[in-house]
């Protein structure tokens, strides 16, 4: 566990003012570095940014970039031109060596969803995504913002709530987001150092303080309940608990299973819990059945598998993450063997990665949807998540007869594509495609295409089908009998939206 002391947040507001005055923001970085170097920095590749700042190292913004992002020493006189340098030294943000100062933590500008200028504090050299690994072998290091963090932030439901819990907060990015729409935020972590970084992140970003509690899973909060629970947990399935930030310390995918199973009793009615996770693909078992079994009683669930890796790919990914590929070859091979032994003992052939969203419900028959969707989506998806559960409510409350009596409208982002040979009189098939959100596509038959095309909220589904039956010379009773299943699918996947009152 890292024992290096961290800065105090008392005068973080002064640093924030200095950062903003110098243009040390996400937009400022893009302007200074250019798109390629900025994108490389997001991957923790620093060489392009070093080159971009080399020619003007004494300006306010280049000074802060080299100091806090690139971890380069800068002359004291340059730092003093842009920072309250003596206060920063006294509070532990900087340390001095001769005529130069060094940053003690990584401070990274981060743009909030509504244009806010935020700052994420983490350990030096431990941002996510570099080809050389995290740059530290200390088990208690605290990482900055990575792809998983931004993915979770993007899928989280953003509605005003009374209370939110960020479980396994790390550097505090989820707590920072939650502070914008929750009256009370609680952040927990098994690593006390992570809570210190969360305090710094909130202070530097001008956000309200959060309740910070040390402990594993839900143990620190007792029997407290929340309107929103979010977690990017240490979900890596590994042979041991070597690195606190990623290895849960439980066997296989037990940590993710336990987290999901226990979440239900900590949700208020109507509350959401949203997690990232890994799960095993075990020989002879459908992964969907495995993860569905985790869903606690009294909760709807939407489980989306975004990626699958075989066990060799998975082991190599996380060995690189820790920088083990740069270690002694014999040590690397031994660690690789340990990972494969672990998977073999559990009959695990692959590992899935994805999102799990729970919603506390009083429904007699909860909706549990588990699907694989590796395709491109459009973040943020919070509104898409809300719409998914609203559609589940509608479908649960409407049988086939009620569906035929209902009114629907084709959602705005849906387009229709006709696929067939050039010059053919009729298309081979018709595809409905979403241009927003999950960006789904589905193939429909002639009746389905005609039905969707006519849905503008002015006619009931049954009347539309009667008209189609007359056009295609089909028995309207038979058409009404076989079409509700297709309507249900189009509603469930978001191609059609119910209309409460007929549109004039």
């Amino acid at each position: 566990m890292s024992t290096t002391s961290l800065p105090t947040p008392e005068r973080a507001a002064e640093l924030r003012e200095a950062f903003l005055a110098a243009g040390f923001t996400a937009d400022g970085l893009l302007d200074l570095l250019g798109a390629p170097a900025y994108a490389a920095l997001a991957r923790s590749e620093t060489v392009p940014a070093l080159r971009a700042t080399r020619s003007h190292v004494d300006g306010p913004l280049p000074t802060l970039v080299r100091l806090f992002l690139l971890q380069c020493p800068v002359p004291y006189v340059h730092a003093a031109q842009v920072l309250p340098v003596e206060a920063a030294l006294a509070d532990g943000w900087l340390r001095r060596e001769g005529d130069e100062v060094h940053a003690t933590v990584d401070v990274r500008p981060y743009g909030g969803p509504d244009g806010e200028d935020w700052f994420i504090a983490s350990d030096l050299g431990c941002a996510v995504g570099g080809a050389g690994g995290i740059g530290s072998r200390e088990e208690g290091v605290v990482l900055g913002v990575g792809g998983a963090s931004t993915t979770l932030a993007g899928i989280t439901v953003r509605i005003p709530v009374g209370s939110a819990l960020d479980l396994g907060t790390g550097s505090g990015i989820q707590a920072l987001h939650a502070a914008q729409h929750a009256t009370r935020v609680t952040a927990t972590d098994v690593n006390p150092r992570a809570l210190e970084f969360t305090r710094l992140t909130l202070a530097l970003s001008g956000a309200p303080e959060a309740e910070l509690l040390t402990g594993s899973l839900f143990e620190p909060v007792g029997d407290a309940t929340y309107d929103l629970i979010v977690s990017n947990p240490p979900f890596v399935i590994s042979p041991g608990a070597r690195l606190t930030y990623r290895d849960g310390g439980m066997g296989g995918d037990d940590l993710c299973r336990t987290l999901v199973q226990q979440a239900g009793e900590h949700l208020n009615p109507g509350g959401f819990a949203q997690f990232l996770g890994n799960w095993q693909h075990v020989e002879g078992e459908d992964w969907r059945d495995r993860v569905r079994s985790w869903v606690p009683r009294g909760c709807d669930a939407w489980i989306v598998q975004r990626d699958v890796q075989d066990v060799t790919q998975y082991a190599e990914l996380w060995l690189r993450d820790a920088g083990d590929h740069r270690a002694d070859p014999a040590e690397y091979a031994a660690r690789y063997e340990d990972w494969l032994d672990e998977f073999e003992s559990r009959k695990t052939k692959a590992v899935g990665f994805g999102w799990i969203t729970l919603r506390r419900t009083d429904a007699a028959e909860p909706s549990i949807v588990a699907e694989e969707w590796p395709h491109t989506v459009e973040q943020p998806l919070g509104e898409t998540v809300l719409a998914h559960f609203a559609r589940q409510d509608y479908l649960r409350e409407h049988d086939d007869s009620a569906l035929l009596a209902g009114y629907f409208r084709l959602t705005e982002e849906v387009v229709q594509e006709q696929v067939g040979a050039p010059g053919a009189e009729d298309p081979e098939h018709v595809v409905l495609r979403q241009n927003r959100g999950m960006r789904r596509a589905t193939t429909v038959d002639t009746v389905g295409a005609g039905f969707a095309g006519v849905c503008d909220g002015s006619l009931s589904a049954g009347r539309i089908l009667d008209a189609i039956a007359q056009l295609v010379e089909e028995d309207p009773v038979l058409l009404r009998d076989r079409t509700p299943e297709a309507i249900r699918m189009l509603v469930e996947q978001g191609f059609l939206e119910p209309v409460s009152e007929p549109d004039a």
Side-chain angles (χ1 to χ4, degrees):
M1 185 75 70
S2 178
T3 57
T4 307
S5 60
L6 294 180
T8 59
E10 283 73 19
R11 285 180 285 192
E14 294 180 45
L15 262 67
R16 173 178 172 80
E17 291 178 9
F19 292 160
L20 296 177
F24 188 53
T25 63
D27 289 340
L29 288 182
L30 181 59
D31 290 341
L32 173 69
L33 303 177
Y38 182 79
L41 194 62
R43 301 188 300 270
S44 296
E45 300 294 352
T46 59
V47 172
L50 285 166
R51 289 171 62 87
T53 59
R54 191 173 292 153
S55 61
H56 43 284
V57 297
D58 59 343
L61 181 53
T63 294
L64 293 177
V65 170
R66 293 177 72 83
L67 185 61
F68 286 108
L69 290 184
L70 306 180
Q71 281 95 59
C72 297
V74 302
Y76 177 96
V77 293
H78 292 172
Q81 292 171 0
V82 63
L83 292 171
V85 69
E86 288 301 322
L89 287 165
D91 289 355
W93 296 93
L94 304 176
R95 61 180 176 83
R96 184 170 183 174
E97 292 185 5
D99 294 331
E100 295 181 324
V101 294
H102 300 248
T104 61
V105 294
D106 183 298
V107 177
R108 192 157 302 238
Y110 179 87
D114 296 315
E116 302 94 341
D117 290 314
W118 293 341
F119 301 94
I120 312 301
S122 62
D123 271 312
L124 292 173
C126 292
V128 180
I134 63 169
S136 174
R137 294 284 180 119
E138 294 186 81
E139 69 168 32
V141 296
V142 177
L143 272 60
V145 177
S149 302
T150 55
T151 293
L152 179 58
I155 68 172
T156 299
V157 170
R158 301 296 176 194
I159 54 177
V161 295
S163 57
L165 170 64
D166 175 13
L167 192 152
T169 186
S171 56
I173 180 61
Q174 309 305 329
L176 179 56
H177 274 281
Q180 311 310 304
H181 62 102
T183 303
R184 175 174 59 87
V185 176
T186 300
T188 70
D189 206 289
V190 70
N191 182 3
R193 186 177 179 81
L195 299 177
E196 295 183 59
F197 271 116
T198 294
R199 183 178 285 111
L200 297 180
T201 289
L202 295 174
L204 282 174
S205 301
E209 293 184 4
E211 178 186 30
L212 304 176
L213 303 174
T214 305
S216 178
L217 296 173
F218 290 100
E219 179 272 329
V221 302
D223 58 359
T225 58
Y226 301 87
D227 302 310
L228 174 67
I229 300 171
V230 293
S231 183
N232 177 17
F235 54 67
V236 176
I237 300 171
S238 62
R242 177 177 163 214
L243 297 171
T244 302
Y245 74 88
R246 71 170 202 191
D247 302 322
M250 295 186 184
D253 51 19
D254 283 355
L255 183 134
C256 288
R257 174 184 56 79
T258 303
L259 177 61
V260 173
Q261 288 180 335
Q262 292 181 357
E265 62 194 68
H266 293 279
L267 279 177
N268 291 327
F272 286 88
Q274 298 186 264
F275 314 111
L276 301 184
N278 275 172
W279 40 81
Q280 297 170 133
H281 284 222
V282 177
E283 184 177 350
E285 177 185 64
D286 189 319
W287 73 266
R288 294 171 182 82
D289 294 335
R290 183 180 190 85
V291 185
R292 281 194 192 104
S293 72
W294 299 354
V295 177
R297 181 173 299 179
C299 287
D300 291 333
W302 187 17
I303 302 157
V304 182
Q305 180 167 275
R306 296 286 291 151
D307 189 25
V308 181
Q309 292 183 314
D310 66 48
V311 293
T312 60
Q313 293 173 311
Y314 189 81
E316 290 161 14
L317 169 68
W318 294 108
L319 288 167
R320 286 195 302 271
D321 169 79
D324 290 326
H325 60 310
R326 297 181 179 273
D328 175 73
E331 181 182 347
Y332 174 79
R335 290 193 185 279
Y336 202 150
E337 289 274 7
D338 288 344
W339 283 73
L340 297 184
D341 288 344
E342 173 76 7
F343 288 128
E344 184 176 353
S345 70
R346 296 180 179 277
K347 298 183 179 180
T348 300
K349 302 301 182 183
V351 178
F353 167 81
W355 321 324
I356 300 175
T357 299
L358 306 178
R359 183 186 61 166
R360 189 76 186 179
T361 179
D362 294 327
E365 296 184 10
S367 164
I368 301 177
V369 176
E371 62 176 320
E372 188 163 10
W373 190 253
H375 311 293
T376 301
V377 300
E378 183 185 54
Q379 289 274 34
L381 282 170
E383 290 295 327
T384 300
V385 172
L386 281 173
H388 168 87
F389 286 98
R391 293 193 298 268
Q392 296 303 313
D393 286 341
Y394 177 87
L395 293 172
R396 187 161 42 204
E397 295 164 1
H398 290 73
D399 60 15
D400 288 355
S401 177
L403 280 182
L404 292 174
Y407 294 76
F408 301 93
R409 183 190 301 116
L410 194 67
T411 51
E412 291 183 3
E413 72 273 11
V414 174
V415 297
Q416 178 176 300
E417 301 174 359
Q418 296 187 1
V419 181
E425 183 176 346
D426 296 314
E428 295 175 10
H429 58 268
V430 176
V431 175
L432 300 180
R433 188 179 303 277
Q434 300 169 349
N435 289 323
R436 305 291 300 275
M438 294 295 285
R439 291 180 170 170
R440 299 184 188 276
T442 188
T443 301
V444 292
D445 61 15
T446 303
V447 171
F451 180 85
V454 174
C455 281
D456 61 2
S458 63
L459 295 173
S460 70
R463 290 187 61 186
I464 293 173
L465 289 177
D466 290 344
I468 292 174
Q470 186 173 1
L471 287 173
V472 300
E473 298 181 347
E474 185 170 340
D475 186 334
V477 175
L478 294 178
L479 192 59
R480 280 175 171 256
D481 284 345
R482 68 178 175 86
T483 305
E485 182 179 352
I487 297 174
R488 196 171 292 276
M489 181 275 292
L490 292 173
V491 172
E492 181 175 19
Q493 295 192 1
F495 293 96
L496 295 178
E497 57 185 4
V499 177
S500 56
E501 296 291 337
D503 289 348

